[in-house]
Each structure stands twice: as structure tokens, then as C-alpha cells.
Amino acid sequence: MASQSALAALDNIRVVLVNSAHPGNIGGAARALKNMGLSQLYLVQPREFPAANAVWRAAGASELLDSAVVVETLEEAVADCGLVVATSARERRIPWPLLTPRECGERAVAEAKTHPVALVFGREDRGLTNDELQACNYHVHIPSNPEYSSLNLATAVQVLVYEARMAALEAEKGEALRFTDWDRPPARAQDMELYYEHLELALAELGFIDPDNPRQTITRLRRLFSRVRPDDMELGILRGMLTAIQNHIHRSGGKGRPD
Ligand code: SAH
């Protein structure tokens, strides 16, 4: 599959609930997924499904219950996944590569751009079996109170899908600067250079910079505008402001610098 944007990749992260006993938790999980922009819910032998209680807890997310994939085994649920992460409420006897919830979100989003990823959750009363845990690439534990470490199933789902969304939003930040969804094109490099010349001249006329030694200030202003990346219209406004400042200086009798 071709690489896709980080937020779109959330659709490629599936939440797998193994043998859930309470339909309310399935509904709560569906709601958590939709809130965080995920859509794939897999149910391995749910004890009671479909169920009115699941629909009730899902609130406005019941379409995720309608599209939930119900299978007989964990193996089937994750067959096409390139990364499978198991969740665990406690440390297990056999150590396994561990991720923090944050690392899990980052890794899931990064990998989901190219292949399906699964986050696997266990039974309310006894979690995942050792065989199920060992069918997964990584384990993730939400660092809860060691004296009371087990979260409600739907709450644990909420924490991990939240981390996935945060990771996706973080990854999109870089993409947002690409002007793909912008109403104007970015200012061209040659126009930026003309702007810097104009800025330097106007600031010198204003007496704000020393025309013989403008370096530091201009370099810092260049860095500021490189970071902001104005579009062509914004640059036009900035140029217009400089011209207005210059006109004002000229009308009021010359340079601002008292020398
Ligand atoms: N008594 C069970 C608790 C299961 S809680 C046990 O000790 O395993 C039900 C499910 O919620 C777990 O299988 C896991 O998927 C998730 N969960 C609950 N607390 C968690 C935690 N602190 N970290 C990661 N997952 C957790």
C-alpha cells in the first residue's frame, strides 16, 4: 500500500477485543475509537454481541458496531497485520519487548501508513492468555497504580487510541506546512529576497537598524519569516506595510535616525 497521511493512517489501526464479556465495554470501545478517529473494531468471540447495551454505550458511534468484524480466533483477527501489540494490566513471567503507551501510538501510526496494525485487548476478568500474548510483537502496559493496575477494558482502549491520535496529530504538524490545503501559494524565493531588501531599507530609514551593520537583526528576521513561510498575498501585505511606513517617513521629512 502507498504511504498515506498520519491521520488517514488511523483507519489502518484496528482494535481487537478478545472474548469480551460485557457488551457495554464493546460499545464504550467503539465510542473511544470514533472519538479518536479510528474505525476498525474486531471482536474475537464476544460473549454477547450484538447487544442493546453495546449500542447504548456506543452513543453516536454505533456504525462502528455495525461494521465490527466478528471472528473466531485472534489469529484470524490479526492475520494481515504487520505489527501486533498486546495490552497487559500486569507484568508477565516471560519478558517481552515492551512499549510505553506513547511509543505504541507513535509506532502504530508510523507503521499504519504502509500496513495494518492491531492493538489487542484481553478479557475483563483475566486479560490475554500467555499464548495470545506471545502471538504479538510487543506488549504495552499503561503505567497505572501498581496496587490497582487494571483499568476498565473500554478505558484502556481509550488511553491507547488517544495516544495514537496524539501521535498522528504530531506527525501531521510537519505536513500542515506543505500548502496543499492552503488558499494561496507560498511566496516565491525571489519575492522573499525582494522583501528582505525592502525590509532592510525601510528599517534603516526608520532608524531601527544601523544600515552599516544590519546583519544580526536581518538574519533573525529572515529566520522568523522562513519559519512562518508567508503565502504570496501575506507577503504582498507586508510589502504594502513597508511602503506605507516609508511614505510616512518621507512625508515627515526624511530619516528617523537622529544623526
Ligand atoms: N485481571 C486482568 C485484567 C484485565 S483488564 C489481568 O490481570 O490481566 C482487561 C483488559 O484491559 C486487559 O486485558 C488489557 O487489554 C486492558 N488493560 C487494563 N488495564 C491495563 C493496563 N494498565 N495496561 C494495559 N492494558 C490494560
Side-chain angles (χ1 to χ4, degrees):
M1 195 198 340
S3 180
Q4 50 181 332
S5 87
L7 274 176
L10 292 175
D11 274 328
N12 217 14
I13 301 177
R14 74 185 60 162
V15 164
V16 181
L17 306 183
V18 178
N19 257 189
S20 307
H22 301 294
N25 281 333
I26 298 175
R31 183 175 186 168
L33 261 69
K34 187 169 175 187
N35 279 146
M36 296 300 120
L38 285 79
S39 58
Q40 305 288 320
L41 185 61
Y42 280 61
L43 306 173
V44 179
Q45 285 192 29
R47 209 165 298 169
E48 192 189 331
F49 188 82
N53 218 1
V55 175
W56 185 73
R57 275 284 301 277
S62 60
E63 80 265 19
L64 266 71
L65 297 176
D66 300 336
S67 65
V69 180
V70 182
V71 293
E72 282 299 305
T73 62
L74 175 60
E75 214 178 323
E76 284 173 71
V78 301
D80 57 333
C81 293
L83 171 69
V84 183
V85 182
T87 55
S88 173
R90 56 195 156 96
E91 295 292 324
R92 303 286 168 150
R93 266 203 319 270
I94 308 133
W96 214 254
L98 263 183
L99 296 173
T100 64
R102 193 136 304 162
E103 289 165 343
C104 174
E106 286 162 3
R107 187 170 288 252
V109 165
E111 296 208 20
K113 288 181 184 177
T114 55
H115 48 257
V117 169
L119 305 177
V120 183
F121 294 82
R123 301 153 188 85
E124 287 92 336
D125 55 349
R126 52 193 182 90
L128 294 166
T129 65
N130 281 335
D131 281 350
E132 287 163 345
L133 285 166
Q134 287 162 26
C136 301
N137 303 108
Y138 290 93
H139 294 170
V140 58
H141 170 69
I142 299 162
S144 44
N145 175 2
E147 318 267 301
Y148 188 65
S149 65
S150 174
L151 279 73
N152 163 263
L153 173 58
T155 309
V157 170
Q158 179 74 76
V159 171
L160 289 192
V161 294
Y162 168 79
E163 288 295 347
R165 183 168 187 80
M166 289 308 104
L169 289 174
E170 197 57 36
E172 296 267 311
K173 266 194 204 161
E175 293 168 19
L177 287 172
R178 282 185 202 149
F179 281 92
T180 41
D181 300 321
W182 206 247
D183 59 341
R184 304 292 314 179
R188 295 176 308 172
Q190 65 190 47
D191 295 327
M192 288 307 299
E193 289 308 320
L194 289 173
Y195 170 67
Y196 293 131
E197 280 174 29
H198 194 171
L199 183 65
E200 188 170 334
L201 187 66
L203 291 181
E205 287 181 13
L206 193 60
F208 184 76
I209 53 171
D210 178 355
D212 299 327
N213 192 17
R215 279 286 128 240
Q216 276 293 322
T217 307
I218 291 297
T219 304
R220 285 180 184 276
L221 287 170
R222 269 182 177 268
R223 192 175 63 178
L224 167 70
F225 288 107
S226 315
R227 200 163 74 229
V228 173
R229 300 194 59 204
D231 65 38
D232 64 344
M233 195 175 280
E234 290 163 343
L235 193 70
I237 295 169
L238 289 167
R239 292 285 305 257
M241 284 165 56
L242 292 179
T243 302
I245 291 169
Q246 286 177 307
N247 287 344
H248 184 79
I249 294 167
H250 299 160
R251 269 200 311 274
S252 62
K255 301 194 174 192
R257 175 175 281 271
D259 52 11

